[in-house]
Amino acid sequence: MPAYDVLIIGAGLAGQRAALAAAQTGATVGVVSKVHPVRSHSVAAAGGINAALNPEDSWESHAFDTVKGSDYLGDQDAIEIMCREAPDELLWLEHAGVTFHRDGTGHLGTRAFGGASAARTYYVADITGQAILHVLYEQLLKHHAQLDRYEEWFTTDLVVGDEGQCVGAICRDLRDGRLELINAKAVILASGGAGQVYRPTTNGLIVTGDGIAQACRVGAKLMDMEMVQYHPTTLSGNGLLITEGARGEGAWLLNAEGDRFMEEYAPNKLELASRDVVSRAEQTEIMEGRGFPDGTVALDVTKVPRRRTLEALREIVNIGRDFAGVDITREPIHIRPGNHYIMGGVKTDVDGQTTVPGLYAAGEVACVSVHGGNRLGANSLLDTLVFGRRSGESAARRALRMPMPSTPSACLTDTQRALAAILRRRGNGSRIGAIKKELGDTMNEYVAVFRDAEGLAKAHQIVRRLKEEAAGAAIDDHGSVFNQDVIAAIELSYMLEVAETIVIAAEERKESRGAQYRTDFPERNDADWLKHVDISLDGGPEPKVSYSPVTITRWQPEERTY
Amino acid sequence: MRVAYWPGCVSRGFTPELHGAMAKIAPLLDLELIELDRASCCGAGVIEEHNQELADTLNARTFALAQQTDGELMMNICSTCQGAQSECQERLDANGEYRDQINANLQDEGLRYEKGLTNKNLLWLLVEGIGLDEVRSRVKRPLSGLRVGPFYGCYIVRPTRRLGIDEDHPRDRYLHMLIEALGGTVIDYAGVYKCCGFPIITMNKQASLEMAGRHLGDAIDAEADCLVVPCPLCHLNLDLQQPVAAKAVSRELGLPVLHLPQLIGLALGLEPKDLGMNRHIVRPTSVIDWSTSVVGAAA
Amino acid sequence: MPEYTLRIRRFDPLSGEAAYWDEHFIEMEEHNSVLDGILKVKDEKDGSIGIRCSCQQGICGSCAVRINGKPGLACNTHLEEAAHRGHGVGWNPPAPDDTSSGEGLKLPEIMVEPMGNMPVIRDLIVDMDAVHWRKIQRVTPWLINREPVPEREYIVPHANMVDVTQPMSCIQCGACVSDCLSMEIDPLFIGPAALAKAYRFVGDPRDAQHRERLFDLAEDPHGIYDCTHCFNCVDACPKGVDPMNQIMRLRRIAGTDYDIEDRNNGYRHEHAFVKNIRRNGLLHESDLLADSYGGKFNPAAGRELVSSLPTGIKGLARRKMTPKTALMHPHKAPKPVSQTFDRIEGRDQRVELNLYVSGYEDDEPADETESEERR
């Protein structure tokens, strides 16, 4: 049985950053990822990473923008840490080799981004996530002696010891179906968000909420699960992302009548208001009949000088051409709000520690909470890196102080039995694809930009039914080599559990804040709801709701206008 | 049609039969060749690899010389020239500032390259300029029964975009189309679009010869009578080196390899010897046998 | 909605059966991707089809396969475009064994196979660790920082960062590796993806070991001089990385800037070639051969000439090389040509245009005229 001081699940930005930090702290490290690390969905982050590095800028300004962006639901102690540590993190990346854009003098250059009072977004064309992810992987290869990589290993369960602490994980080698119990003194979840719960979504097919569900199953608390971000510019149909960088570079939003409608909704920041505000504005235009017949509005990138677009927005030029048949340098492209990110996740402290001892979480799977009700563009990369590093360091420090914990004897056979049961299923149940589609459509209809009690109740009911159906869904593949069917069945169970917590939290919060807009409670209500909605299983089979306070350090809630 | 004609180096060096055969078929196709005899080597990608400005200047000079003639366009008979020159031309045409910079190198000679030259390999000219119907009408001795394997060579089919290959210009099918227009049978085999190995002959001889040997072997297995190549460098590896290539792949080969103008010449009624096929390393026995059998049948 | 025949190459290593074609008929929009098609079949009919995929937007690099013979991403290849590939554009695969319905119209056919040059694990999934990632590891794929590491960022020119962003935009999908013709013959060739990665460091002013990297790659018999210049990687790459161009730049920097004389004749061949053209204007092959092996009197040249003796003798016999062409220089370079060599090679700095950085000027005026017209 392999054993490590620190075991990391997921190898996107948060996971790789945690691995490097833990190794540097002196721990032995294992990294498990269900896909090759460079396939992780961090690769799709386009626009950039925020840091107040310029002398004219300040971390306080960055922090205030983030607090305001979060609609005052973000915990200000965590936000302060993130914004203070951002410049050093950025420079660490630069020294590790990220090919950040330079200005005319050869210094790091920035672009403007939504909800920010200064241009503080550092970037590599519009492949910032890819560039950083690949550079981190280079570093992982460089430190290969201190790190074991389990690439294309799927985590089925977290393992909990006698004292309720996390002591490892059970993972399946996709290549040959072998199950392995990996023992660890500390486990860091870094397995990303849950975009596939929605349809369409900007997220990849692998983003199935695994870590959130796994943590919940072993009793960890989840937080802010109702806060699901709809990105203002996604392609209709397939939901592909058009980076906020486009608006940062000067693109306009136009309705079908050719009006620059953001003048109405956010007269100061216009297209660069925070994402929840822009998405709501677009959705309102569409619902009130000023959108295009395909349920969209237009993003006009022709406002950006063509040469600049071709250099700094290469990827969306390709996306427009390949996926919508539109040359964005010459004509507007139809877009609409689409599922993009979950602010909520596994509740952690500022060192990534969850409510389960020995279990840490960082990145989109976690909720620290720095994003509160709404995440600012280019703050997610920062979140993954800062809290990935902090989790790695703190997990390693914990591990170095303790002996290797023992693992319960039966856990491996339990998992084997559960997998065998899935493999025994035949082709007579509902199809996994059909259940997933119904789930995604349901969430996108009732738990989206605008929500109300009736719709949420309906969604809840459907999710419950789908959970039952999923337990007997058809399996076509009964083999052991790269059996993606059995993985899809497990992922489906993760997605349904996550969906249910999202719906419950959205039902619970009876006000409008950030991404949660209740048409039946259209106002923000600080008196009753300036608090986090926490969800946990608490020993029983049904998720239970509790509350925790929002940490406020120096910025009292104010009215939020852009 | 009058064309500025760039024969390339190898057609006048190691494969003089290529230049000769071109000279023989040109009048039969009403092609007037204005030979660019002051022009220099295209660099074959090697000079570009050494110094991009140098390669671009040498080719800009060739283009400028072509533009000084009254030819309708520039024609080459070497895939490598086509590819190397297209690459330089892409840069020259893409950027006016850079073009001026390169033209400054030509100033002393009073030359200047103006953007937008048309430079076509004989193969392209046949299909797009002369037209396959016209070619067909001039065929005196259809290549019926001759099983011909097309071997394009890399430089004339890749990269697709730079070479203007698209649905309207399926240039990666032209050899197929031409062989059929000349009455021959196209042989499909794995090597049609692969590399002859010539570029690494001095660096990794074994790999280079294995490439040549494998493609020749595949064509033989597909029962080809001969290969046709629009590139004399491919010819070097496929014909000149064929005996050594045979050793490299440990099998007997012996497959004649024809230059494109030689194949056309055969169909236009010229004899293998007139077309210089006796200069090949691999005796074109199957082709000679075919030509005598056709003559015999006609008599 | 158009209909297509989707033929998927299937292989299950545990079945004991050989690989086979699995045929499905799909009705989908022209602009749907090949991956959409495969996922539809997987979702609705057969969950056991193996294919790696995630982002569906051409950035994660998971889903590279061969489609009608051409390597690329399944997610950014439209069904209609893929179907056309069998009819004259790009690589043309041999026609598959005809096992289709036989009656009525034959639907446009899309054949999806696993990538080449890598072992197949299952269906469309290949073992990238055994080939691709091993080669990436071969090139020391991390930045070796130039000292001293500055307190803040390294100051580097804007164009330089754009330049290395080209190889950096590689998504490690393996499409170029799949169809590398050098690797097909010489599996040890480091290959296009890894060498592009190497350029990413050699082109990065922040890296301290340009010479060491170049020396290593030039000396390796399967290194930069083992590329046969076939352009397959250039066409295969879905991200415009242009791996072959990066390899040529590595050669240029190794041979010209660092004067690295490798044991593979790469340096000598390049310099012999250039010298040859400077002198003759046209290529003079027999000189080139001798010079490539270190000049007529170099022992290596002797060995090489002896080993290629059959070729040489036959060449003489068939009057390919006449004694005259073998010994004398029939052609002298026109004076302007040799002057050009002197001038350009005498420059302190090489002049280079990278279209990835500069773009195409064509785009600009077209833009203006079009918007003029629209107004």
Side-chain angles (χ1 to χ4, degrees):
Chain A
M1 176 172 64
Y4 299 96
D5 291 334
V6 178
L7 177 68
I8 294 159
I9 299 170
L13 289 181
Q16 292 196 36
R17 188 68 188 90
L20 289 166
Q24 242 142 28
T25 312
T28 58
V29 179
V31 186
V32 179
S33 172
K34 67 177 178 177
V35 292
H36 187 282
V38 304
R39 318 290 177 217
S40 307
H41 200 69
S42 304
V43 78
I49 174 167
N50 287 335
L53 181 67
N54 274 332
E56 314 84 82
D57 200 359
S58 70
W59 72 262
E60 289 92 342
S61 160
H62 181 188
F64 172 71
D65 290 343
T66 305
V67 169
K68 180 180 171 189
S70 80
D71 219 347
Y72 296 89
L73 188 64
D75 287 319
Q76 297 181 6
D77 55 340
I79 292 172
E80 285 192 20
I81 287 174
M82 180 175 83
C83 298
R84 272 177 200 267
E85 295 182 1
D88 280 345
E89 196 58 36
L90 186 85
L91 290 173
W92 183 86
L93 291 172
E94 202 278 327
H95 294 159
V98 179
T99 57
F100 283 114
H101 170 85
R102 296 304 207 270
D103 64 17
T105 65
H107 292 81
L108 291 171
T110 56
R111 66 163 43 122
F113 239 65
S117 47
R120 64 168 73 93
T121 303
Y122 294 85
Y123 65 99
V124 181
D126 55 353
I127 55 164
T128 313
Q130 185 201 333
I132 300 177
L133 185 70
H134 285 222
V135 166
L136 286 189
Y137 190 65
E138 291 169 7
Q139 295 296 314
L140 230 53
L141 293 177
K142 180 177 172 182
H143 296 284
H144 59 91
Q146 294 127 281
L147 290 154
D148 281 348
R149 307 193 308 275
Y150 294 80
E151 294 169 356
E152 297 187 320
W153 284 64
F154 183 85
T155 302
T156 59
D157 298 278
L158 296 176
V159 180
V160 175
D162 302 335
E163 289 143 36
Q165 85 282 30
C166 190
V167 296
I170 297 174
C171 307
R172 177 179 163 106
D173 184 351
L174 292 181
R175 271 196 190 212
D176 57 11
R178 177 167 55 114
L179 272 187
E180 188 86 79
L181 169 57
I182 304 177
N183 195 187
K185 298 179 189 172
V187 174
I188 302 176
L189 283 171
S191 43
Q196 284 293 318
V197 165
Y198 285 76
R199 178 177 177 276
T201 172
T202 62
N203 291 192
L205 295 164
I206 58 171
V207 189
T208 48
D210 305 8
I212 299 175
Q214 287 157 359
C216 191
R217 284 180 189 182
V218 298
K221 264 189 183 156
L222 310 182
M223 184 164 89
D224 295 349
M225 288 301 289
E226 70 280 20
M227 296 304 178
V228 174
Q229 181 166 78
Y230 270 62
H231 192 287
T233 53
T234 70
L235 291 187
S236 62
N238 51 24
L240 293 185
L241 175 70
I242 303 293
T243 175
E244 183 163 312
R247 282 171 288 139
E249 298 288 342
W252 289 12
L253 288 167
L254 303 172
N255 63 21
E257 291 155 18
D259 295 330
R260 192 180 184 188
F261 57 85
M262 285 311 296
E263 288 167 351
E264 301 293 320
Y265 300 87
N268 298 315
K269 297 296 289 181
L270 297 160
E271 282 82 3
L272 291 178
S274 66
R275 287 177 176 175
D276 58 327
V277 173
V278 181
S279 284
R280 259 193 308 278
E282 291 175 2
Q283 197 62 40
T284 306
E285 291 294 303
I286 294 164
M287 288 186 326
E288 290 177 1
R290 292 184 297 276
F292 294 96
D294 59 346
T296 60
V297 291
L299 177 72
D300 189 357
V301 187
T302 67
K303 295 283 183 268
V304 184
R306 185 148 191 276
R307 193 168 279 275
R308 176 71 186 157
T309 303
L310 291 174
E311 179 185 307
L313 300 169
R314 269 175 216 274
E315 194 51 40
I316 61 165
V317 173
N318 294 342
I319 287 178
R321 184 194 63 220
D322 293 345
F323 299 100
V326 170
D327 180 353
I328 59 159
T329 66
R330 300 193 190 280
E331 55 180 321
I333 187 166
H334 287 198
I335 51 89
R336 66 178 179 197
N339 174 271
H340 182 57
Y341 186 86
I342 182 157
M343 275 69 76
V346 183
K347 183 183 176 77
T348 72
D349 67 14
V350 293
D351 290 319
Q353 174 67 55
T354 69
T355 54
V356 172
L359 182 64
Y360 294 75
E364 194 172 343
V365 69
C367 180
V368 188
S369 137
V370 285
H371 307 306
N374 171 66
R375 174 174 71 75
L376 293 189
N379 261 357
S380 67
L381 293 190
L382 183 59
D383 167 21
T384 62
L385 293 162
V386 168
F387 293 103
R389 173 175 51 73
R390 292 179 67 96
S391 301
E393 287 166 354
S394 104
R397 280 196 300 269
R398 171 193 158 92
L400 293 173
R401 287 195 306 264
M402 62 181 275
M404 190 60 68
S406 61
T407 53
S409 49
C411 62
L412 197 56
T413 38
D414 288 350
T415 302
Q416 255 151 359
R417 211 170 291 133
L419 278 171
I422 298 175
L423 281 165
R424 268 197 308 274
R425 286 193 221 151
R426 294 290 147 177
N428 42 10
S430 312
R431 294 204 63 85
I432 292 171
I435 298 173
K436 197 178 148 192
K437 181 171 179 295
E438 188 176 353
L439 170 66
D441 290 343
T442 302
M443 296 298 284
N444 196 44
E445 180 161 1
Y446 301 115
V447 202
V449 175
F450 294 109
R451 306 161 173 183
D452 62 31
E454 194 188 340
L456 290 170
K458 209 171 202 168
H460 202 156
Q461 196 185 355
I462 293 171
V463 171
R464 283 201 180 124
R465 169 171 58 75
L466 293 177
K467 270 174 103 170
E468 280 166 33
E469 272 181 43
I475 293 290
D476 302 323
D477 193 340
H478 308 283
S480 55
V481 177
F482 252 99
N483 186 330
Q484 297 175 315
D485 219 12
V486 71
I487 299 304
I490 300 172
E491 287 174 339
L492 182 64
S493 69
Y494 291 154
M495 281 189 274
L496 287 160
E497 285 166 34
V498 173
E500 188 169 21
T501 60
I502 294 172
V503 175
I504 291 172
E507 284 182 304
E508 185 64 24
R509 182 176 289 280
K510 293 177 182 61
E511 65 152 354
S512 292
R513 181 186 301 271
Q516 159 95 341
Y517 193 96
R518 291 280 300 255
T519 50
D520 42 359
F521 301 98
E523 298 299 326
R524 190 173 88 188
N525 175 355
D526 287 338
D528 299 327
W529 289 102
L530 187 59
K531 59 187 178 191
H532 298 290
V533 174
D534 296 348
I535 292 181
S536 70
L537 290 181
D538 208 12
E542 292 299 318
K544 289 192 184 63
V545 170
S546 56
Y547 305 107
S548 55
V550 174
T551 308
I552 290 175
T553 56
R554 59 171 91 185
W555 296 285
Q556 290 303 318
E558 289 169 9
E559 199 197 343
R560 184 165 168 261
T561 55
Y562 282 98
Chain B
M1 183 188 284
R2 274 172 73 76
V3 296
Y5 169 48
W6 169 241
C9 309
V10 181
S11 75
R12 293 172 287 177
F14 264 18
T15 66
E17 69 276 8
L18 167 58
H19 188 40
M22 184 65 226
K24 289 258 165 59
I25 66 163
L28 303 178
L29 295 165
D30 289 332
L31 271 178
E32 276 185 71
L33 306 178
I34 313 159
E35 193 169 325
L36 300 171
D37 46 11
R38 283 165 59 209
S40 63
C41 174
C42 71
V46 181
I47 293 187
E48 197 241 321
E49 162 195 326
H50 175 74
N51 187 314
Q52 195 195 74
E53 186 193 4
L54 187 54
D56 288 357
T57 303
L58 294 178
N59 283 310
R61 183 171 170 277
T62 304
F63 301 155
L65 289 169
Q67 286 176 330
Q68 278 191 339
T69 70
D70 62 348
E72 277 182 45
L73 48 81
M74 175 172 151
M75 183 190 89
N76 63 73
I77 49 171
C78 171
S79 297
T80 302
C81 292
Q82 178 74 58
Q85 290 177 335
S86 298
E87 185 170 346
C88 294
Q89 193 184 350
E90 184 181 40
R91 279 190 293 268
L92 292 167
D93 286 0
N95 190 304
E97 209 178 307
Y98 183 69
R99 190 162 59 245
D100 290 343
Q101 209 167 349
I102 297 296
N103 272 328
N105 294 335
L106 305 177
Q107 219 164 6
D108 292 349
E109 219 182 335
L111 290 172
R112 182 177 171 78
Y113 166 62
E114 299 296 340
K115 176 180 174 174
L117 170 88
T118 305
N119 175 23
K120 286 187 180 180
N121 183 276
L122 168 66
L123 179 63
W124 298 356
L125 186 76
L126 284 169
V127 179
E128 295 164 7
I130 296 174
L132 288 180
D133 286 338
E134 181 63 30
V135 172
R136 211 175 278 117
S137 74
R138 291 170 188 246
V139 168
K140 292 232 169 55
R141 177 170 56 184
L143 303 178
S144 30
L146 190 67
R147 297 167 58 82
V148 186
F151 190 94
Y152 283 83
C154 304
Y155 277 91
I156 203 173
V157 284
R158 288 182 293 267
T160 315
R161 197 176 133 242
R162 182 189 297 149
L163 293 172
I165 301 174
D166 54 33
E167 269 179 88
D168 299 329
H169 304 88
R171 290 171 168 175
D172 54 354
R173 302 297 294 175
Y174 284 2
L175 264 186
H176 293 73
M177 291 153 65
L178 179 70
I179 293 166
E180 279 169 8
L182 298 175
T185 306
V186 176
I187 295 303
D188 210 346
Y189 66 105
V192 177
Y193 297 109
K194 291 198 173 169
C195 175
C196 68
F198 180 79
I200 51 170
I201 187 78
T202 55
M203 280 90 92
N204 187 343
K205 190 165 187 182
Q206 178 61 22
S208 170
L209 294 173
E210 270 184 52
M211 286 185 197
R214 190 182 286 195
H215 310 326
L216 288 160
D218 286 344
I220 290 168
D221 294 344
E223 296 177 345
D225 294 325
C226 63
L227 293 186
V228 60
V229 294
C231 177
L233 298 177
C234 295
H235 198 270
L236 291 180
N237 240 35
L238 296 172
D239 178 66
L240 183 68
Q241 300 280 13
Q242 196 175 126
V244 220
K247 283 201 192 115
V249 294
S250 311
R251 66 174 284 182
E252 280 194 28
L253 295 171
L255 183 70
V257 182
L258 272 53
H259 297 286
L260 179 61
Q262 289 177 327
L263 188 78
I264 299 164
L266 276 182
L268 298 181
L270 299 173
E271 292 309 316
K273 194 161 186 241
D274 297 336
L275 294 162
M277 286 190 212
N278 52 326
R279 292 186 168 208
H280 294 185
I281 294 300
V282 179
R283 287 193 181 282
T285 319
S286 56
V287 178
I288 294 169
D289 288 352
W290 169 83
S291 68
T292 41
S293 74
V294 178
V295 174
Chain C
M1 252 190 296
E3 293 177 76
Y4 300 93
T5 302
L6 191 60
R7 292 162 64 91
I8 302 172
R9 194 72 173 161
R10 303 292 304 270
F11 172 65
D12 177 359
L14 297 181
S15 70
E17 309 283 325
Y20 62 98
W21 290 104
D22 180 15
E23 193 169 270
H24 298 275
F25 300 98
I26 51 170
E27 208 181 319
M28 289 181 90
E29 301 287 358
E30 296 176 356
H31 63 264
N32 281 135
S33 72
V34 172
L35 181 62
D36 290 337
I38 295 170
L39 290 180
K40 186 178 162 78
V41 175
K42 201 169 148 89
D43 270 359
E44 294 173 6
K45 289 192 229 156
D46 184 357
S48 73
I49 299 169
I51 181 169
R52 291 191 183 104
C53 56
S54 176
C55 74
Q56 301 176 283
Q57 53 180 292
I59 190 79
C60 78
S62 302
C63 66
V65 288
R66 270 191 185 146
I67 301 166
N68 280 1
K70 184 179 173 182
L73 300 177
C75 75
N76 74 354
T77 307
H78 296 180
L79 288 168
E80 190 61 20
E81 179 205 335
H84 268 277
R85 266 191 203 156
H87 308 280
V89 179
W91 283 264
N92 291 282
D97 299 335
D98 193 11
T99 53
S100 59
S101 57
E103 47 192 77
L105 265 176
K106 220 169 153 233
L107 299 176
E109 214 166 60
I110 298 165
M111 302 198 315
V112 190
E113 299 166 81
M115 287 191 282
N117 281 337
M118 288 177 269
V120 178
I121 296 177
R122 154 141 204 203
D123 297 343
L124 302 173
I125 299 170
V126 298
D127 190 346
M128 292 196 62
D129 292 341
V131 181
H132 175 77
W133 289 108
R134 189 173 289 182
K135 289 173 187 301
I136 292 288
Q137 269 161 297
R138 163 70 187 79
V139 302
T140 319
W142 51 81
L143 190 76
I144 300 168
N145 290 77
R146 188 157 50 77
E147 301 287 346
V149 177
E151 206 170 299
R152 283 178 60 108
E153 72 267 35
Y154 286 94
I155 313 295
V156 278
H158 165 75
N160 234 315
M161 281 292 109
V162 180
D163 179 72
V164 288
T165 297
Q166 182 178 20
M168 197 71 233
S169 66
C170 167
I171 55 175
Q172 312 294 343
C173 69
C176 59
V177 173
S178 162
D179 279 41
C180 172
L181 293 182
S182 275
M183 210 185 287
E184 184 178 89
I185 298 287
D186 175 11
L188 294 176
F189 177 41
I190 295 176
L195 289 173
K197 186 83 168 170
Y199 179 77
R200 174 250 174 287
F201 300 105
V202 169
D204 193 327
R206 299 171 297 177
D207 192 89
Q209 299 202 350
H210 295 167
R211 173 184 285 279
E212 291 80 353
R213 289 177 187 277
L214 289 162
F215 184 80
D216 176 37
L217 297 173
E219 279 291 90
D220 190 327
H222 314 283
I224 47 177
Y225 293 113
D226 202 16
C227 163
T228 192
H229 222 263
C230 73
F231 297 95
N232 256 355
C233 58
V234 178
D235 264 7
C237 180
K239 307 306 287 188
V241 170
D242 216 349
M244 198 192 89
N245 193 31
Q246 313 307 336
I247 299 173
M248 294 308 127
R249 294 161 86 189
L250 288 171
R251 288 186 184 178
R252 189 184 300 153
I253 300 169
T256 309
D257 296 353
Y258 288 92
D259 268 321
I260 295 169
E261 278 198 58
D262 59 288
R263 58 178 166 189
N264 303 305
N265 277 320
Y267 175 89
R268 279 195 295 273
H269 174 72
E270 180 193 307
H271 283 75
F273 193 104
V274 175
K275 185 172 121 193
N276 197 303
I277 308 301
R278 176 203 289 272
R279 188 171 59 213
N280 306 322
L282 299 178
L283 184 65
H284 189 256
E285 298 101 329
S286 21
D287 266 11
L288 175 65
L289 194 64
D291 284 348
S292 292
Y293 290 99
K296 281 176 190 162
F297 304 108
N298 188 303
R303 268 200 311 279
E304 187 51 37
L305 290 177
V306 170
S307 85
S308 61
L309 213 62
T311 315
I313 288 172
K314 277 194 185 167
L316 283 169
R318 300 276 154 75
R319 293 199 297 143
K320 262 194 178 304
M321 296 177 257
T322 61
K324 188 179 140 219
T325 56
L327 296 173
M328 294 167 62
H329 301 143
H331 194 278
K332 282 264 177 284
K335 212 169 166 203
V337 170
S338 32
Q339 281 168 348
T340 298
F341 273 79
D342 293 340
R343 178 185 312 141
I344 294 173
E345 293 207 285
R347 289 198 205 292
D348 289 340
Q349 267 205 316
R350 275 187 276 106
V351 174
E352 254 176 72
L353 180 75
N354 181 353
L355 291 172
Y356 187 85
V357 181
S358 70
Y360 297 77
E361 74 177 3
D362 245 8
D363 299 338
E364 294 300 334
D367 192 24
E368 278 158 30
T369 36
E370 233 175 72
S371 46
E372 285 295 333
E373 278 163 19
R374 243 185 260 144
R375 274 179 227 136

